[in-house]
Amino acid sequence: QVQLVESGGGLVQPGGSLRLSCIGYGFTLDYYAIGWVRQAPGKEREGVSCVYVSGDSTTYADSVKGRFTISRDSGKNTVYLQMDSLKPEDTAVYYCAAAPSCAVAMQFGEYDYWGQGTHVTVSS
């Protein structure tokens, strides 16, 4: 059974950091582009970041560029999202998702598999 499981969310103060993890079960993440997508209350879903199949190329939304870093650990079948300098506007449910291509995923929000999401709250 194909499954993506996120973890690492929580409550953090503005300026703080969190690292989200996305573990794949039943399939190999290396064969997919893996993205992080977030949805804040009352707002549309937003593609935050994506790592290409090669693992060498990444892409970020302008809103998180320079603050978030996506990476793969092939040995653990895991993708991470390191989030630094967090702001209250980063508060959202964060989902990891698998797609054939980052280009299509980030532009159209089309993914083959989704995780259940992890909550991130940035507040003092």
PDB file of all heavy atoms in Angstrom, residues 41-78:
ATOM      1  N   PRO A  41      -5.838  28.211   6.913  1.00  0.00           N
ATOM      2  CA  PRO A  41      -7.295  28.342   7.045  1.00  0.00           C
ATOM      3  C   PRO A  41      -7.846  29.445   6.154  1.00  0.00           C
ATOM      4  O   PRO A  41      -7.349  30.572   6.162  1.00  0.00           O
ATOM      5  CB  PRO A  41      -7.482  28.687   8.519  1.00  0.00           C
ATOM      6  CG  PRO A  41      -6.279  28.139   9.199  1.00  0.00           C
ATOM      7  CD  PRO A  41      -5.160  28.292   8.213  1.00  0.00           C
ATOM      8  N   GLY A  42      -8.844  29.098   5.359  1.00  0.00           N
ATOM      9  CA  GLY A  42      -9.488  30.083   4.504  1.00  0.00           C
ATOM     10  C   GLY A  42      -8.704  30.479   3.272  1.00  0.00           C
ATOM     11  O   GLY A  42      -9.117  31.390   2.544  1.00  0.00           O
ATOM     12  N   LYS A  43      -7.590  29.813   3.019  1.00  0.00           N
ATOM     13  CA  LYS A  43      -6.768  30.154   1.862  1.00  0.00           C
ATOM     14  C   LYS A  43      -6.616  28.958   0.929  1.00  0.00           C
ATOM     15  O   LYS A  43      -6.862  27.817   1.321  1.00  0.00           O
ATOM     16  CB  LYS A  43      -5.388  30.629   2.317  1.00  0.00           C
ATOM     17  CG  LYS A  43      -5.407  31.938   3.084  1.00  0.00           C
ATOM     18  CD  LYS A  43      -4.011  32.465   3.308  1.00  0.00           C
ATOM     19  CE  LYS A  43      -4.028  33.813   4.011  1.00  0.00           C
ATOM     20  NZ  LYS A  43      -2.660  34.346   4.215  1.00  0.00           N
ATOM     21  N   GLU A  44      -6.223  29.248  -0.292  1.00  0.00           N
ATOM     22  CA  GLU A  44      -6.007  28.187  -1.269  1.00  0.00           C
ATOM     23  C   GLU A  44      -4.701  27.454  -0.971  1.00  0.00           C
ATOM     24  O   GLU A  44      -3.802  27.968  -0.324  1.00  0.00           O
ATOM     25  CB  GLU A  44      -5.962  28.781  -2.681  1.00  0.00           C
ATOM     26  CG  GLU A  44      -7.296  29.305  -3.163  1.00  0.00           C
ATOM     27  CD  GLU A  44      -7.279  29.687  -4.629  1.00  0.00           C
ATOM     28  OE1 GLU A  44      -6.204  29.609  -5.254  1.00  0.00           O
ATOM     29  OE2 GLU A  44      -8.338  30.062  -5.153  1.00  0.00           O
ATOM     30  N   ARG A  45      -4.646  26.241  -1.480  1.00  0.00           N
ATOM     31  CA  ARG A  45      -3.441  25.440  -1.338  1.00  0.00           C
ATOM     32  C   ARG A  45      -2.279  26.121  -2.073  1.00  0.00           C
ATOM     33  O   ARG A  45      -2.464  26.686  -3.154  1.00  0.00           O
ATOM     34  CB  ARG A  45      -3.722  24.072  -1.951  1.00  0.00           C
ATOM     35  CG  ARG A  45      -2.958  22.948  -1.367  1.00  0.00           C
ATOM     36  CD  ARG A  45      -3.513  21.645  -1.904  1.00  0.00           C
ATOM     37  NE  ARG A  45      -4.579  21.126  -1.080  1.00  0.00           N
ATOM     38  CZ  ARG A  45      -5.228  20.002  -1.340  1.00  0.00           C
ATOM     39  NH1 ARG A  45      -4.965  19.321  -2.430  1.00  0.00           N
ATOM     40  NH2 ARG A  45      -6.156  19.582  -0.538  1.00  0.00           N
ATOM     41  N   GLU A  46      -1.086  26.055  -1.482  1.00  0.00           N
ATOM     42  CA  GLU A  46       0.090  26.699  -2.066  1.00  0.00           C
ATOM     43  C   GLU A  46       1.247  25.710  -2.133  1.00  0.00           C
ATOM     44  O   GLU A  46       1.607  25.104  -1.112  1.00  0.00           O
ATOM     45  CB  GLU A  46       0.512  27.902  -1.204  1.00  0.00           C
ATOM     46  CG  GLU A  46       1.789  28.585  -1.671  1.00  0.00           C
ATOM     47  CD  GLU A  46       2.312  29.617  -0.692  1.00  0.00           C
ATOM     48  OE1 GLU A  46       1.940  29.566   0.500  1.00  0.00           O
ATOM     49  OE2 GLU A  46       3.110  30.477  -1.117  1.00  0.00           O
ATOM     50  N   GLY A  47       1.822  25.550  -3.307  1.00  0.00           N
ATOM     51  CA  GLY A  47       3.029  24.745  -3.446  1.00  0.00           C
ATOM     52  C   GLY A  47       4.198  25.488  -2.836  1.00  0.00           C
ATOM     53  O   GLY A  47       4.512  26.593  -3.262  1.00  0.00           O
ATOM     54  N   VAL A  48       4.859  24.884  -1.852  1.00  0.00           N
ATOM     55  CA  VAL A  48       5.929  25.532  -1.115  1.00  0.00           C
ATOM     56  C   VAL A  48       7.292  25.211  -1.719  1.00  0.00           C
ATOM     57  O   VAL A  48       8.111  26.105  -1.927  1.00  0.00           O
ATOM     58  CB  VAL A  48       5.884  25.091   0.359  1.00  0.00           C
ATOM     59  CG1 VAL A  48       7.095  25.604   1.118  1.00  0.00           C
ATOM     60  CG2 VAL A  48       4.604  25.571   1.023  1.00  0.00           C
ATOM     61  N   SER A  49       7.515  23.940  -1.977  1.00  0.00           N
ATOM     62  CA  SER A  49       8.826  23.519  -2.462  1.00  0.00           C
ATOM     63  C   SER A  49       8.699  22.153  -3.120  1.00  0.00           C
ATOM     64  O   SER A  49       7.746  21.411  -2.862  1.00  0.00           O
ATOM     65  CB  SER A  49       9.815  23.436  -1.294  1.00  0.00           C
ATOM     66  OG  SER A  49      11.104  23.052  -1.740  1.00  0.00           O
ATOM     67  N   CYS A  50       9.678  21.836  -3.962  1.00  0.00           N
ATOM     68  CA  CYS A  50       9.685  20.533  -4.621  1.00  0.00           C
ATOM     69  C   CYS A  50      11.125  20.128  -4.918  1.00  0.00           C
ATOM     70  O   CYS A  50      11.952  20.995  -5.267  1.00  0.00           O
ATOM     71  CB  CYS A  50       8.870  20.590  -5.901  1.00  0.00           C
ATOM     72  SG  CYS A  50       8.551  18.992  -6.665  1.00  0.00           S
ATOM     73  N   VAL A  51      11.412  18.845  -4.765  1.00  0.00           N
ATOM     74  CA  VAL A  51      12.733  18.315  -5.132  1.00  0.00           C
ATOM     75  C   VAL A  51      12.545  17.363  -6.307  1.00  0.00           C
ATOM     76  O   VAL A  51      11.683  16.488  -6.277  1.00  0.00           O
ATOM     77  CB  VAL A  51      13.426  17.629  -3.932  1.00  0.00           C
ATOM     78  CG1 VAL A  51      12.593  16.506  -3.337  1.00  0.00           C
ATOM     79  CG2 VAL A  51      14.817  17.145  -4.319  1.00  0.00           C
ATOM     80  N   TYR A  52      13.350  17.581  -7.347  1.00  0.00           N
ATOM     81  CA  TYR A  52      13.236  16.794  -8.561  1.00  0.00           C
ATOM     82  C   TYR A  52      13.718  15.363  -8.329  1.00  0.00           C
ATOM     83  O   TYR A  52      14.392  15.071  -7.334  1.00  0.00           O
ATOM     84  CB  TYR A  52      14.040  17.455  -9.679  1.00  0.00           C
ATOM     85  CG  TYR A  52      13.376  18.690 -10.243  1.00  0.00           C
ATOM     86  CD1 TYR A  52      13.377  19.886  -9.541  1.00  0.00           C
ATOM     87  CD2 TYR A  52      12.745  18.653 -11.480  1.00  0.00           C
ATOM     88  CE1 TYR A  52      12.764  21.010 -10.047  1.00  0.00           C
ATOM     89  CE2 TYR A  52      12.121  19.782 -11.999  1.00  0.00           C
ATOM     90  CZ  TYR A  52      12.137  20.949 -11.281  1.00  0.00           C
ATOM     91  OH  TYR A  52      11.527  22.068 -11.792  1.00  0.00           O
ATOM     92  N   VAL A  53      13.381  14.489  -9.262  1.00  0.00           N
ATOM     93  CA  VAL A  53      13.753  13.081  -9.174  1.00  0.00           C
ATOM     94  C   VAL A  53      15.261  12.933  -8.989  1.00  0.00           C
ATOM     95  O   VAL A  53      15.727  12.110  -8.216  1.00  0.00           O
ATOM     96  CB  VAL A  53      13.274  12.315 -10.418  1.00  0.00           C
ATOM     97  CG1 VAL A  53      13.839  10.900 -10.446  1.00  0.00           C
ATOM     98  CG2 VAL A  53      11.752  12.262 -10.452  1.00  0.00           C
ATOM     99  N   SER A  54      16.019  13.741  -9.684  1.00  0.00           N
ATOM    100  CA  SER A  54      17.477  13.652  -9.602  1.00  0.00           C
ATOM    101  C   SER A  54      17.987  13.950  -8.196  1.00  0.00           C
ATOM    102  O   SER A  54      19.065  13.512  -7.816  1.00  0.00           O
ATOM    103  CB  SER A  54      18.109  14.628 -10.582  1.00  0.00           C
ATOM    104  OG  SER A  54      17.861  15.959 -10.176  1.00  0.00           O
ATOM    105  N   GLY A  55      17.219  14.726  -7.465  1.00  0.00           N
ATOM    106  CA  GLY A  55      17.659  15.147  -6.135  1.00  0.00           C
ATOM    107  C   GLY A  55      18.582  16.346  -6.152  1.00  0.00           C
ATOM    108  O   GLY A  55      18.832  16.945  -5.106  1.00  0.00           O
ATOM    109  N   ASP A  56      19.093  16.691  -7.330  1.00  0.00           N
ATOM    110  CA  ASP A  56      20.033  17.802  -7.429  1.00  0.00           C
ATOM    111  C   ASP A  56      19.331  19.143  -7.595  1.00  0.00           C
ATOM    112  O   ASP A  56      19.909  20.189  -7.279  1.00  0.00           O
ATOM    113  CB  ASP A  56      20.979  17.593  -8.621  1.00  0.00           C
ATOM    114  CG  ASP A  56      21.859  16.379  -8.445  1.00  0.00           C
ATOM    115  OD1 ASP A  56      22.136  16.033  -7.270  1.00  0.00           O
ATOM    116  OD2 ASP A  56      22.256  15.780  -9.454  1.00  0.00           O
ATOM    117  N   SER A  57      18.139  19.113  -8.112  1.00  0.00           N
ATOM    118  CA  SER A  57      17.419  20.351  -8.381  1.00  0.00           C
ATOM    119  C   SER A  57      16.233  20.498  -7.447  1.00  0.00           C
ATOM    120  O   SER A  57      15.543  19.524  -7.136  1.00  0.00           O
ATOM    121  CB  SER A  57      16.916  20.359  -9.828  1.00  0.00           C
ATOM    122  OG  SER A  57      17.997  20.363 -10.728  1.00  0.00           O
ATOM    123  N   THR A  58      16.037  21.730  -7.010  1.00  0.00           N
ATOM    124  CA  THR A  58      14.928  22.040  -6.124  1.00  0.00           C
ATOM    125  C   THR A  58      14.265  23.339  -6.585  1.00  0.00           C
ATOM    126  O   THR A  58      14.863  24.123  -7.335  1.00  0.00           O
ATOM    127  CB  THR A  58      15.417  22.225  -4.677  1.00  0.00           C
ATOM    128  OG1 THR A  58      16.400  23.266  -4.643  1.00  0.00           O
ATOM    129  CG2 THR A  58      16.022  20.943  -4.128  1.00  0.00           C
ATOM    130  N   THR A  59      13.051  23.551  -6.124  1.00  0.00           N
ATOM    131  CA  THR A  59      12.360  24.789  -6.446  1.00  0.00           C
ATOM    132  C   THR A  59      11.566  25.229  -5.224  1.00  0.00           C
ATOM    133  O   THR A  59      11.139  24.395  -4.418  1.00  0.00           O
ATOM    134  CB  THR A  59      11.452  24.608  -7.676  1.00  0.00           C
ATOM    135  OG1 THR A  59      10.887  25.863  -8.037  1.00  0.00           O
ATOM    136  CG2 THR A  59      10.339  23.611  -7.421  1.00  0.00           C
ATOM    137  N   TYR A  60      11.383  26.549  -5.095  1.00  0.00           N
ATOM    138  CA  TYR A  60      10.715  27.112  -3.927  1.00  0.00           C
ATOM    139  C   TYR A  60       9.745  28.209  -4.346  1.00  0.00           C
ATOM    140  O   TYR A  60       9.997  28.942  -5.300  1.00  0.00           O
ATOM    141  CB  TYR A  60      11.740  27.716  -2.960  1.00  0.00           C
ATOM    142  CG  TYR A  60      12.722  26.719  -2.401  1.00  0.00           C
ATOM    143  CD1 TYR A  60      13.928  26.484  -3.038  1.00  0.00           C
ATOM    144  CD2 TYR A  60      12.428  25.998  -1.248  1.00  0.00           C
ATOM    145  CE1 TYR A  60      14.841  25.565  -2.544  1.00  0.00           C
ATOM    146  CE2 TYR A  60      13.332  25.071  -0.742  1.00  0.00           C
ATOM    147  CZ  TYR A  60      14.530  24.859  -1.404  1.00  0.00           C
ATOM    148  OH  TYR A  60      15.415  23.934  -0.905  1.00  0.00           O
ATOM    149  N   ALA A  61       8.671  28.342  -3.588  1.00  0.00           N
ATOM    150  CA  ALA A  61       7.799  29.492  -3.754  1.00  0.00           C
ATOM    151  C   ALA A  61       8.548  30.736  -3.287  1.00  0.00           C
ATOM    152  O   ALA A  61       9.384  30.666  -2.375  1.00  0.00           O
ATOM    153  CB  ALA A  61       6.532  29.301  -2.940  1.00  0.00           C
ATOM    154  N   ASP A  62       8.234  31.868  -3.883  1.00  0.00           N
ATOM    155  CA  ASP A  62       8.907  33.122  -3.505  1.00  0.00           C
ATOM    156  C   ASP A  62       8.720  33.432  -2.023  1.00  0.00           C
ATOM    157  O   ASP A  62       9.592  34.014  -1.387  1.00  0.00           O
ATOM    158  CB  ASP A  62       8.368  34.276  -4.346  1.00  0.00           C
ATOM    159  CG  ASP A  62       8.837  34.214  -5.793  1.00  0.00           C
ATOM    160  OD1 ASP A  62       9.824  33.496  -6.071  1.00  0.00           O
ATOM    161  OD2 ASP A  62       8.218  34.885  -6.633  1.00  0.00           O
ATOM    162  N   SER A  63       7.584  33.018  -1.482  1.00  0.00           N
ATOM    163  CA  SER A  63       7.257  33.335  -0.091  1.00  0.00           C
ATOM    164  C   SER A  63       8.172  32.639   0.912  1.00  0.00           C
ATOM    165  O   SER A  63       8.247  33.059   2.078  1.00  0.00           O
ATOM    166  CB  SER A  63       5.805  32.967   0.203  1.00  0.00           C
ATOM    167  OG  SER A  63       5.563  31.601  -0.068  1.00  0.00           O
ATOM    168  N   VAL A  64       8.868  31.579   0.492  1.00  0.00           N
ATOM    169  CA  VAL A  64       9.725  30.840   1.424  1.00  0.00           C
ATOM    170  C   VAL A  64      11.172  30.783   0.981  1.00  0.00           C
ATOM    171  O   VAL A  64      12.020  30.259   1.707  1.00  0.00           O
ATOM    172  CB  VAL A  64       9.204  29.403   1.635  1.00  0.00           C
ATOM    173  CG1 VAL A  64       7.742  29.420   2.065  1.00  0.00           C
ATOM    174  CG2 VAL A  64       9.391  28.546   0.388  1.00  0.00           C
ATOM    175  N   LYS A  65      11.471  31.325  -0.180  1.00  0.00           N
ATOM    176  CA  LYS A  65      12.823  31.264  -0.718  1.00  0.00           C
ATOM    177  C   LYS A  65      13.815  31.906   0.255  1.00  0.00           C
ATOM    178  O   LYS A  65      13.588  32.998   0.765  1.00  0.00           O
ATOM    179  CB  LYS A  65      12.852  31.966  -2.076  1.00  0.00           C
ATOM    180  CG  LYS A  65      13.936  31.493  -3.009  1.00  0.00           C
ATOM    181  CD  LYS A  65      13.728  32.062  -4.412  1.00  0.00           C
ATOM    182  CE  LYS A  65      12.544  31.424  -5.098  1.00  0.00           C
ATOM    183  NZ  LYS A  65      12.378  31.896  -6.496  1.00  0.00           N
ATOM    184  N   GLY A  66      14.914  31.196   0.505  1.00  0.00           N
ATOM    185  CA  GLY A  66      15.922  31.691   1.432  1.00  0.00           C
ATOM    186  C   GLY A  66      15.678  31.307   2.878  1.00  0.00           C
ATOM    187  O   GLY A  66      16.557  31.475   3.727  1.00  0.00           O
ATOM    188  N   ARG A  67      14.487  30.781   3.167  1.00  0.00           N
ATOM    189  CA  ARG A  67      14.154  30.395   4.552  1.00  0.00           C
ATOM    190  C   ARG A  67      13.927  28.886   4.682  1.00  0.00           C
ATOM    191  O   ARG A  67      14.179  28.317   5.741  1.00  0.00           O
ATOM    192  CB  ARG A  67      12.902  31.129   5.024  1.00  0.00           C
ATOM    193  CG  ARG A  67      13.033  32.632   5.031  1.00  0.00           C
ATOM    194  CD  ARG A  67      11.822  33.294   5.686  1.00  0.00           C
ATOM    195  NE  ARG A  67      10.581  33.029   4.973  1.00  0.00           N
ATOM    196  CZ  ARG A  67       9.524  32.434   5.522  1.00  0.00           C
ATOM    197  NH1 ARG A  67       9.549  32.034   6.787  1.00  0.00           N
ATOM    198  NH2 ARG A  67       8.415  32.239   4.798  1.00  0.00           N
ATOM    199  N   PHE A  68      13.412  28.252   3.632  1.00  0.00           N
ATOM    200  CA  PHE A  68      13.104  26.826   3.659  1.00  0.00           C
ATOM    201  C   PHE A  68      14.103  26.083   2.782  1.00  0.00           C
ATOM    202  O   PHE A  68      14.546  26.586   1.750  1.00  0.00           O
ATOM    203  CB  PHE A  68      11.697  26.561   3.136  1.00  0.00           C
ATOM    204  CG  PHE A  68      10.577  27.023   4.038  1.00  0.00           C
ATOM    205  CD1 PHE A  68      10.802  27.828   5.133  1.00  0.00           C
ATOM    206  CD2 PHE A  68       9.268  26.622   3.775  1.00  0.00           C
ATOM    207  CE1 PHE A  68       9.770  28.241   5.952  1.00  0.00           C
ATOM    208  CE2 PHE A  68       8.217  27.027   4.577  1.00  0.00           C
ATOM    209  CZ  PHE A  68       8.467  27.850   5.661  1.00  0.00           C
ATOM    210  N   THR A  69      14.419  24.844   3.180  1.00  0.00           N
ATOM    211  CA  THR A  69      15.311  23.990   2.406  1.00  0.00           C
ATOM    212  C   THR A  69      14.733  22.584   2.330  1.00  0.00           C
ATOM    213  O   THR A  69      14.435  21.978   3.365  1.00  0.00           O
ATOM    214  CB  THR A  69      16.705  23.918   3.043  1.00  0.00           C
ATOM    215  OG1 THR A  69      17.244  25.239   3.204  1.00  0.00           O
ATOM    216  CG2 THR A  69      17.659  23.112   2.162  1.00  0.00           C
ATOM    217  N   ILE A  70      14.579  22.080   1.115  1.00  0.00           N
ATOM    218  CA  ILE A  70      14.081  20.721   0.910  1.00  0.00           C
ATOM    219  C   ILE A  70      15.260  19.806   0.590  1.00  0.00           C
ATOM    220  O   ILE A  70      16.216  20.217  -0.082  1.00  0.00           O
ATOM    221  CB  ILE A  70      13.025  20.691  -0.216  1.00  0.00           C
ATOM    222  CG1 ILE A  70      12.295  19.353  -0.260  1.00  0.00           C
ATOM    223  CG2 ILE A  70      13.655  21.016  -1.571  1.00  0.00           C
ATOM    224  CD1 ILE A  70      11.078  19.351  -1.195  1.00  0.00           C
ATOM    225  N   SER A  71      15.187  18.569   1.087  1.00  0.00           N
ATOM    226  CA  SER A  71      16.289  17.637   0.829  1.00  0.00           C
ATOM    227  C   SER A  71      15.768  16.203   0.877  1.00  0.00           C
ATOM    228  O   SER A  71      14.708  15.935   1.449  1.00  0.00           O
ATOM    229  CB  SER A  71      17.410  17.817   1.851  1.00  0.00           C
ATOM    230  OG  SER A  71      16.955  17.552   3.164  1.00  0.00           O
ATOM    231  N   ARG A  72      16.549  15.310   0.274  1.00  0.00           N
ATOM    232  CA  ARG A  72      16.220  13.876   0.281  1.00  0.00           C
ATOM    233  C   ARG A  72      17.241  13.099   1.113  1.00  0.00           C
ATOM    234  O   ARG A  72      18.413  13.448   1.140  1.00  0.00           O
ATOM    235  CB  ARG A  72      16.292  13.296  -1.138  1.00  0.00           C
ATOM    236  CG  ARG A  72      15.238  13.724  -2.108  1.00  0.00           C
ATOM    237  CD  ARG A  72      15.418  12.945  -3.406  1.00  0.00           C
ATOM    238  NE  ARG A  72      14.503  13.336  -4.455  1.00  0.00           N
ATOM    239  CZ  ARG A  72      13.341  12.764  -4.680  1.00  0.00           C
ATOM    240  NH1 ARG A  72      12.941  11.768  -3.907  1.00  0.00           N
ATOM    241  NH2 ARG A  72      12.572  13.169  -5.676  1.00  0.00           N
ATOM    242  N   ASP A  73      16.779  12.015   1.733  1.00  0.00           N
ATOM    243  CA  ASP A  73      17.653  10.998   2.308  1.00  0.00           C
ATOM    244  C   ASP A  73      17.197   9.670   1.710  1.00  0.00           C
ATOM    245  O   ASP A  73      16.241   9.056   2.195  1.00  0.00           O
ATOM    246  CB  ASP A  73      17.563  10.987   3.828  1.00  0.00           C
ATOM    247  CG  ASP A  73      18.561  10.025   4.464  1.00  0.00           C
ATOM    248  OD1 ASP A  73      18.959   9.041   3.809  1.00  0.00           O
ATOM    249  OD2 ASP A  73      18.930  10.253   5.625  1.00  0.00           O
ATOM    250  N   SER A  74      17.863   9.260   0.652  1.00  0.00           N
ATOM    251  CA  SER A  74      17.431   8.060  -0.064  1.00  0.00           C
ATOM    252  C   SER A  74      17.488   6.825   0.817  1.00  0.00           C
ATOM    253  O   SER A  74      16.633   5.940   0.720  1.00  0.00           O
ATOM    254  CB  SER A  74      18.306   7.862  -1.306  1.00  0.00           C
ATOM    255  OG  SER A  74      18.188   8.955  -2.182  1.00  0.00           O
ATOM    256  N   GLY A  75      18.481   6.736   1.673  1.00  0.00           N
ATOM    257  CA  GLY A  75      18.636   5.573   2.532  1.00  0.00           C
ATOM    258  C   GLY A  75      17.471   5.387   3.493  1.00  0.00           C
ATOM    259  O   GLY A  75      17.153   4.274   3.896  1.00  0.00           O
ATOM    260  N   LYS A  76      16.829   6.500   3.848  1.00  0.00           N
ATOM    261  CA  LYS A  76      15.680   6.444   4.763  1.00  0.00           C
ATOM    262  C   LYS A  76      14.353   6.611   4.030  1.00  0.00           C
ATOM    263  O   LYS A  76      13.311   6.685   4.678  1.00  0.00           O
ATOM    264  CB  LYS A  76      15.822   7.537   5.826  1.00  0.00           C
ATOM    265  CG  LYS A  76      17.023   7.349   6.749  1.00  0.00           C
ATOM    266  CD  LYS A  76      17.098   8.425   7.813  1.00  0.00           C
ATOM    267  CE  LYS A  76      18.291   8.199   8.744  1.00  0.00           C
ATOM    268  NZ  LYS A  76      18.387   9.248   9.785  1.00  0.00           N
ATOM    269  N   ASN A  77      14.415   6.709   2.699  1.00  0.00           N
ATOM    270  CA  ASN A  77      13.197   6.919   1.893  1.00  0.00           C
ATOM    271  C   ASN A  77      12.389   8.089   2.450  1.00  0.00           C
ATOM    272  O   ASN A  77      11.164   7.999   2.634  1.00  0.00           O
ATOM    273  CB  ASN A  77      12.340   5.644   1.850  1.00  0.00           C
ATOM    274  CG  ASN A  77      11.481   5.568   0.602  1.00  0.00           C
ATOM    275  OD1 ASN A  77      11.873   6.042  -0.470  1.00  0.00           O
ATOM    276  ND2 ASN A  77      10.316   4.964   0.726  1.00  0.00           N
ATOM    277  N   THR A  78      13.092   9.166   2.698  1.00  0.00           N
ATOM    278  CA  THR A  78      12.511  10.315   3.396  1.00  0.00           C
ATOM    279  C   THR A  78      12.889  11.616   2.687  1.00  0.00           C
ATOM    280  O   THR A  78      13.995  11.743   2.153  1.00  0.00           O
ATOM    281  CB  THR A  78      13.022  10.360   4.852  1.00  0.00           C
ATOM    282  OG1 THR A  78      12.619   9.155   5.513  1.00  0.00           O
ATOM    283  CG2 THR A  78      12.446  11.550   5.608  1.00  0.00           C
TER     284      THR A  78
END
